[in-house]
């Protein structure tokens, strides 16, 4: 800690603090323009200049200068005022000042600063900028006439996003921010530069002329897409979400958002949203009143219970409170057949972790990833599935020189980060690599074995996993394997990242087990600063695990329910917030089950392909329309807040469930999120740490920042097996989408509107296909026609098809395996 | 080839100036002549041609010295290939120096007040010869250094009083000790050879003439600080310097002087050249490091200083070429010797590049404490065409001008700053009465405004506005209050800019206002340029008293509007005159206003 004096006030701050931060601590605000909390010190605008007694004769930038013991700082004086005002005059000479039509007007840092400095006149004169605006893409508009060259866009895109769209070009007064070849922006459209631009130079196009900032009601909530739980702020006008804003002051994940969170909101206002219950009458789905629909559902489910039984399947985007009520409802109905998407996709992951570390959750929090020295990312490209965690990894590398190891079957964006080492293996063989790394740790005496059970068995089981042997099978060199293992074990803090989701079902349990083995041997779980991270696909995947939305007693899980239904052994299926027909592996089997099941109820936002098969469709509400909590992949319980009311007669899941329970004669009531949250605490002790109203902007991490494993047991896992054939297909998540709902959102669709199959340049050349050509992909007895997307991410012989697009029916090909042998032709 | 007293030596300048004036053909001519005449057999001695570096008097290139054993060396200037047979015939064979072609007394005078230490090998040894370097004490400095502890080496440099020659004048030993004190065993050493100051070419000449000397200085620094890797950041516009230095580095590697266990002295040092993109700001140390890292040359805030967090985040020590060259000599001769030269605050010598309206432009090395007057008048022979001296701009675009009354200022960091200029890297632009001081300020601003990296507002925008005001003044559109406005903004730009470029760019404006305010006032109030240099302010009128009636102007006038008859003052018909300024340029007597 360092002591200093600022404007006569004594301050004690950490020795890494800057003068600006120290001043802030004691409530002294120094004007800034180019400074941004989450970016590295830059010092371009010079508004933050202050005087320091010990550095006489100069003015000192507060935002870049670290504090030192005994420093005496003056933040305002006639001299400082004069200089700041001159700098403002300079800035305003050429600035267009078209505030009346600038979307930033009202929340523009330049306006605010000019106001604060009372810059009423200008001694200088010059021509206004007259540069063309960049409106090449549908999401982000760039108007360089308003740019103040603070560099924040370029810095965030580089330091945080890791994309690197922008660079400074030209020198002197002609300096400007440009995209590659100055051609207009074409990037991954995370909108982070929009968030960072202090002026109206980078603006979200969908928001143009929609509202003045002060007209917007701002509601801090949680992103409804993936399990990262990024805080996002709904910008609401007239009961419509007009834009998504960010909160880098107190929000989770520093206000960072990806394209889905930032631009994927419009499905909320989509005109295809269901507004009334639908009942199948004479084979047609027709609108009905709630009471009638609920009665039909209640009767149908009760009837089924009298027969072969009903099953309930939920998605993982319900709030914890709704999930809790759902579980109660299952009890009321008297069925043990309960599951959520996890049952299908990541049951194995939870099981694998349970067997080894005794818990089914990440052991650390994201801020610890940023401080990690070595990071191992397994299988998934986090930049695609969990973009903001990808950004955290990028920051760890750029700020703290973390070393990144990527174990994957493709070279995604993570592999391109500075210094990243990719252990590129054939799809399905990730397991072998993890095993080999474990073996290296054991062989070289680097493993932490004390207090870990099962070492001897594991050792024996790893007989065929020497680095040399595994190198032979996987194509990753023995030296690389050894180096990676040593790096992981030798680091002060390490992180192992694993993602799960509907398209990543194959070898799930094995991978989780192998990863946990490695983590245990490297002493990671429970160690302060280190962690094993399990990142769920959906906004509340972790909540669903925590609350046990799983088969009860001897009940059936998702897979069993579909099998039973297809075999005519289940009489009703109640699907809440999920579109299994589009997103579950093995579409044909799901279709058969939906066809066969005598009574199908679907509760959703849209008339999804699954809903189209239903007997009753109940209109539900989106995350923007409800209050409650989500639990993210760090175990962070966060508040979801209602920003708008639901369209038409759509009702929140909790309200529907309790109404149904009422029809069934139960007194189950939706007593409000706070009360139910308290109820959850009674059933799930981890959730008893706080009350609903105590959940602050940073949420509450159950189990604490570093969760101790409940057991430490290594369990042998067999290796993967290579799939024969010339081509192997893997499915997964694409950066711009999440599940199926993002295909109803304009933003993601503006960037990625169509299904595709991605292949390497080498394969494309051999097959003589170009971008956009139709390719026939055949396997598992099915043939699909998909547009080719040629790139250099994939190795030869590997294809990738994202699973989000219902119409592509990729899940007819994909039946849950880690990798599918396919034939490809033009 | 070792130097022996028996050989006849022909020293030919092969600096950039020498080559530009045809050094290669002179060399060829000597070789051809030697062969043709069988000179060696005739005189019974070997004749060695040495390709030396720059000798300072570049304007008189090609400079050639003929040294016949036992006789004083004879220097010829303006030597061309055509002249060579005569020199060989008369001087070498008949022992009768070609008196008419000898460099005049100005050459002796040029050398007299100089103290050529850094330049002692430039112009005397074969720049590309390691043997020649070694024969001239080469590498004895590093050998001496390694007998001392690294800390003692740094102490020695501190004791010498050496200050950085790159412009800032920071004590070199102190800088080294900062970098040494930063923990970590991965440290970088950088030699700054960007030299972007227009008109300055000291560093180029040192690199071209004594590349090994710079390498040796860097080796000493690397040993003292513990840097294992060094870069020489050299502007790409210096192909000869890069070529010679690269050759020297390669040779050092071949001989084991660089690399692992340098010279068997027990330390490792690798180095390479990084060719810069030629931006002035890349000479600024943080922008320079960004450039080496492959980023755009943009300055970064300090702290963190390079010694703490420099190249690729590692502790880094940066010094200028001339600084490193000095280090070698400190270890040849000792810190006490070094500190005996110069003034209280500035030790050793300083090289200056003189350009502008001075008789002998070129490079001079003088001990600190020499006055500006001595440099300009005694060493460089005074003002060209015997015009009146007006001012000298010291320190290039970052510096300031000194008028006649300030010419007693000494070559000394502090006294130059006190006089309103600065040592800078050593560029001196001499101006005579025909130079307009407002225009000079405009010239330098035009340079810095373009070279600004664009990062910070005061420099990026402020300099442009400042330039526009100066342009307005030199175009006769100056306004009441412009001078005060310039002063006020200059002050704010200096105070608020991020790096040295912006912090010093207004200096030429401030110093010209300080010493030549009346010229500004004349432009603004009378719309007149007292030096008749700002063309938009010309009246196109012949000043009767000044006109020498030479009759040149009517000849150049494209519209034939000048009436002149022999023995008469010329008269310009203002109605017909198109203000093309041809007559103004042509008049050697400044008789047109
Ligand atoms: C705009 C600007 C340009 C500079 N150019 C040079 C240069 O060309 N050569 C140089 O040695 N130093 C230059 N410097 C100074 C360097 O930043 C640095 O101070 C110097 O290289 C340190 O070496 P020294 O301690 O040996 O003087 C420049 C500084 C500024 C602000
Ligand atoms: S960026 Fe700010 S100052 Fe500029 S036009 Fe927009 S609102 Fe006005
Ligand atoms: S939207 Fe994201 S990727 Fe695109 S330029 Fe902005 S920050 Fe970079
Ligand atoms: S576009 Fe915005 S963020 Fe980027 S440099 Fe300009 S003002 Fe700053
Ligand atoms: S989709 Fe995930 S990463 Fe993207 S903003 Fe939402 S929570 Fe964050
Ligand atoms: S002072 Fe000029 S050169 Fe230096 S950082 Fe600022 S804009 Fe760039
Ligand atoms: S050139 Fe000059 S000196 Fe000669 S006649 Fe013209 S004005 Fe007179
Ligand atoms: S906020 Fe400090 S320089 Fe911009
Ligand atoms: S280059 Fe020949 S004397 Fe300078």
């Amino acid at each position: 800690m360092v002591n200093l004096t600022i404007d006569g006030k004594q301050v004690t701050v950490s020795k890494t603090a800057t003068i600006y931060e120290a001043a802030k601590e004691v409530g002294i605000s120094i004007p800034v323009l180019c400074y941004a909390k989450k970016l590295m010190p830059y010092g371009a605008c010079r508004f933050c200049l202050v005087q320091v007694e010990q550095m006489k004769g100069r003015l000192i930038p507060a935002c870049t200068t670290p504090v030192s013991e005994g420093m005496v700082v003056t933040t305002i004086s006639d001299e400082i005022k004069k200089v700041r005002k001159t700098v403002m005059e300079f800035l305003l000479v050429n600035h267009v000042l078209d505030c009346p039509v600038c979307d930033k007007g009202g929340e523009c840092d330049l306006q605010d600063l000019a106001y604060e400095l009372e810059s009423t006149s200008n001694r200088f004169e010059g021509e206004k900028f007259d540069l063309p605006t960049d409106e090449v893409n549908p999401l982000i508009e760039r108007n360089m006439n308003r740019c103040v060259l603070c560099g924040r866009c370029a810095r965030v895109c580089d330091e945080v996003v890791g994309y690197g769209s922008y660079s400074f070009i030209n020198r002197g007064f002609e300096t400007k921010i440009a995209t590659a070849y100055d051609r207009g922006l074409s990037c991954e459209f995370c909108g982070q530069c929009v968030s960072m631009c202090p002026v109206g130079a980078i603006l979200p196009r969908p928001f143009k002329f929609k509202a003045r900032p002060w007209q917007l009601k701002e509601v801090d909530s949680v992103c409804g897409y993936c399990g990262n739980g990024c805080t996002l702020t709904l910008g609401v006008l007239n009961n419509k979400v007009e834009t998504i804003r960010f909160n880098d002051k107190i929000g989770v994940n520093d206000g960072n958002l990806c394209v889905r969170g930032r631009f994927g909101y419009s499905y909320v206002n989509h005109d295809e949203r269901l507004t009334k219950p639908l009942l199948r009458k004479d084979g047609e789905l027709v609108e009905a009143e709630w009471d009638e629909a609920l009665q039909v559902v209640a009767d149908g489910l009760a009837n089924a219970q009298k027969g072969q039984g009903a099953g309930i399947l939920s998605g993982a985007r319900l709030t914890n409170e709704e999930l809790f009520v759902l579980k109660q409802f299952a009890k009321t109905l008297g069925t043990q057949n309960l599951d959520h998407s996890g049952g299908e996709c990541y049951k194995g992951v939870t099981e694998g972790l349970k067997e080894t570390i005794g818990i089914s959750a990440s052991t650390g929090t994201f801020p610890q990833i940023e401080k990690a020295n070595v990071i191992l990312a397994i299988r998934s490209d986090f930049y695609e599935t969990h973009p903001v965690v990808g950004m955290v990894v990028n920051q760890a590398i750029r700020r703290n020189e973390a070393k990144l190891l990527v174990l994957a079957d493709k070279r995604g964006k993570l592999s391109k980060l500075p210094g990243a080492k990719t252990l590129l293996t054939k799809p399905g063989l990730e397991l072998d690599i993890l095993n080999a790394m474990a073996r290296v740790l054991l062989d070289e005496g680097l493993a932490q074995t004390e207090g870990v059970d099962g070492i001897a068995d594991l050792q024996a089981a790893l007989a065929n996993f020497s680095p040399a042997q595994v190198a032979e099978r996987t194509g990753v060199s023995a030296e690389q394997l050894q180096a990676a293992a040593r790096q992981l074990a030798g680091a002060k803090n390490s992180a192992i990242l694993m993602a799960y989701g509907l398209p990543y079902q194959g070898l799930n349990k094995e991978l989780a087990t192998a990863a946990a083995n490695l983590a245990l041997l490297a002493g990671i779980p429970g160690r302060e600063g280190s962690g094993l991270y399990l990142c769920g696909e959906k906004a509340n995947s972790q909540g669903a695990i925590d609350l046990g939305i799983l088969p009860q007693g001897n009940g059936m899980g998702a897979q069993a329910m579909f099998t039973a239904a297809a075999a005519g052994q289940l009489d009703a299926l109640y699907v809440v917030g999920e579109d299994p027909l589009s997103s579950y592996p093995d579409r044909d089997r799901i279709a058969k089950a939906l066809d066969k099941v005598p009574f199908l109820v679907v509760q959703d936002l849209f008339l999804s392909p699954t809903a189209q098969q239903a007997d009753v469709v109940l209109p539900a509400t989106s995350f923007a329309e409800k209050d409650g909590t989500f639990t993210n992949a760090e175990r962070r319980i966060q508040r979801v807040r209602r920003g708008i009311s639901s369209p038409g007669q759509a009702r929140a899941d909790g309200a529907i469930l309790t109404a149904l329970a009422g029809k069934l004669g139960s007194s189950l009531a939706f007593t409000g999120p706070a009360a139910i949250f308290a109820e959850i605490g009674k059933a799930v002790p981890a959730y008893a740490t706080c009350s609903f109203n105590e959940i602050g902007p940073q949420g509450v991490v159950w189990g604490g920042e570093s969760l101790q494993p409940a057991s430490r047991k290594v369990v042998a896992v067999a290796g993967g097996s290579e799939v024969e054939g010339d081509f192997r297909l893997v499915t997964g998540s694409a950066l711009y989408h999440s599940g199926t709902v993002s295909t109803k959102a304009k933003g993601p669709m503006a960037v990625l509107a169509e299904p595709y199959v991605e292949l390497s340049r080498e394969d494309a050349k051999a097959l003589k296909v170009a971008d956009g050509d139709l390719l026939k992909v055949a396997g598992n007895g099915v043939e699909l026609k998909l547009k080719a997307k040629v790139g250099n991410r994939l190795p030869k012989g590997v294809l990738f098809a994202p699973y989000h697009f219902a119409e592509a029916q990729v899940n007819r090909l994909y039946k849950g395996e880690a990798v599918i042998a396919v034939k490809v032709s033009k | 080839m070792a130097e022996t007293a028996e050989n006849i030596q022909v020293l030919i300048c092969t600096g950039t100036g020498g080559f530009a004036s045809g050094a290669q053909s002179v060399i060829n001519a000597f070789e051809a002549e030697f062969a043709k005449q069988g000179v060696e057999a005739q005189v019974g001695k070997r004749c060695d041609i040495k390709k030396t570096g720059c000798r300072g008097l570049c304007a008189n290139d090609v400079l050639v010295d003929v040294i016949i054993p036992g006789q004083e060396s004879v220097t010829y200037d303006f030597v061309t290939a055509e002249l060579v047979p005569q020199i060989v015939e008369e001087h070498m064979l008949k022992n009768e120096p070609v008196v008419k072609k000898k460099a005049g007394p100005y050459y002796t005078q040029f050398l007299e007040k100089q103290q050529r230490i850094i330049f002692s090998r430039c112009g005397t040894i074969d720049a590309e010869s390691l043997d020649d370097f070694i024969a001239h004490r080469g590498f004895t400095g590093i050998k001496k250094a390694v007998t001392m502890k690294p800390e003692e080496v740094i102490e020695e440099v501190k004791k010498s009083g050496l200050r950085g020659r790159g412009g800032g004048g920071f004590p070199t030993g102190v800088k080294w000790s900062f970098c040494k004190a930063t923990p970590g065993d991965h440290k970088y050493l950088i030699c700054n050879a960007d030299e972007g100051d227009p008109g300055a070419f000291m560093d180029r000449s040192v690199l071209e003439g004594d590349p090994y000397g710079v390498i040796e200085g860097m080796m000493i620094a690397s040993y003292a600080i513990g840097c294992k890797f060094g870069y020489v950041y050299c502007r790409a516009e210096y192909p000869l310097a890069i070529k010679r230095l690269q050759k020297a580095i390669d040779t050092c590697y071949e001989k084991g002087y660089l690399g692992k266990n340098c010279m068997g002295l027990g330390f490792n040092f690798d180095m390479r050249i990084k060719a810069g993109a030629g931006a002035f700001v890349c000479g600024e140390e943080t922008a320079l490091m960004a450039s080496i890292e492959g980023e755009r040359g943009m300055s970064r805030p300090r702290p963190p200083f390079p010694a703490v967090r420099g190249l690729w985040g590692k502790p880094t020590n940066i010094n200028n070429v001339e600084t490193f060259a000095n280090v070698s000599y400190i270890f040849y001769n000792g810190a006490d010797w070094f500190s005996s030269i110069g003034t209280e605050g500035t030790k050793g010598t300083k090289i200056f590049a003189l350009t502008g309206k001075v008789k002998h432009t070129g490079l001079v090395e003088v001990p600190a404490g020499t006055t500006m007057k001595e440099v300009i008048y005694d060493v460089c022979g005074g003002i060209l065409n015997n015009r009146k001296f007006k001012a000298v701009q010291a320190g290039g675009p970052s510096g300031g001008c000194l008028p006649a009354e300030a010419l007693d200022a000494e070559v000394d960091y502090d006294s130059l700053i006190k006089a309103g200029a600065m040592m800078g890297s050593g560029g001196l632009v001499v101006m005579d009465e025909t130079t307009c001081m407002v225009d000079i300020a405009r010239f330098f601003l035009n340079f810095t405004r373009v070279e600004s990296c664009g990062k910070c507002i005061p420099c990026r925008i402020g300099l442009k506005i400042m330039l526009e005001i100066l342009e307005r003044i030199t175009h006769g559109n100056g306004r009441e209050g412009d001078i005060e406005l310039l002063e006020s903004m200059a002050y704010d730009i200096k105070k608020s800019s991020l790096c040295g470029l912006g912090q010093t760019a207004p200096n030429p404006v401030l110093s010209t206002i300080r010493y030549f305010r009346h010229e500004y006032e004349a432009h603004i109030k009378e719309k007149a340029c007292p030096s008749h240099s700002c063309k938009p302010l010309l009246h196109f009128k012949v000043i009767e008293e000044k006109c020498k009636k030479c009759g040149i102007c009517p000849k150049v006038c494209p519209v034939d509007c000048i009436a002149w008859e022999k023995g008469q003052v010329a008269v310009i018909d203002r109605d017909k005159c198109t203000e093309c300024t041809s007559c103004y340029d042509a008049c050697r007597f400044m008789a047109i206003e």
Side-chain angles (χ1 to χ4, degrees), chain A residues 46 79 82 86 170-172, chain B residues 296 451-452 491-492 496 498:
Chain A
R46 321 308 283 171
E79 183 185 2
K82 171 175 182 272
T86 303
N170 304 338
R171 257 187 253 154
Chain B
R296 172 186 163 94
E451 292 294 330
S452 155
Y491 175 87
D492 293 345
S496 60
L498 190 160

Side-chain angles (χ1 to χ4, degrees), chain B residues 117 120 137 140-141 144 156 326-338 341:
Chain B
I117 296 171
S120 65
R137 305 212 279 176
T140 57
K144 178 170 165 207
E156 186 78 2
N326 268 290
V327 168
S328 300
Y329 286 91
I330 290 171
F331 285 82
Y332 299 158
N333 298 333
D336 292 334
W337 161 81
F338 189 85
I341 306 165

Side-chain angles (χ1 to χ4, degrees), chain B residues 164-167 175 192 194-196 280 283-285 318-320 323 500-501:
Chain B
R165 300 295 194 240
K175 193 187 256 190
N192 188 342
D194 190 57
E195 202 166 51
F280 176 55
E284 197 281 332
E285 55 192 28
I318 304 186
N319 284 115
N320 165 260
T323 312
L501 195 153

Side-chain angles (χ1 to χ4, degrees), chain A residues 283-302:
Chain A
E284 292 287 313
L285 281 172
V286 293
E287 289 193 350
E289 293 310 314
W290 266 108
D291 195 56
E292 183 189 1
L294 287 173
Q295 196 57 57
V296 173
V297 174
D299 294 346
L301 292 178

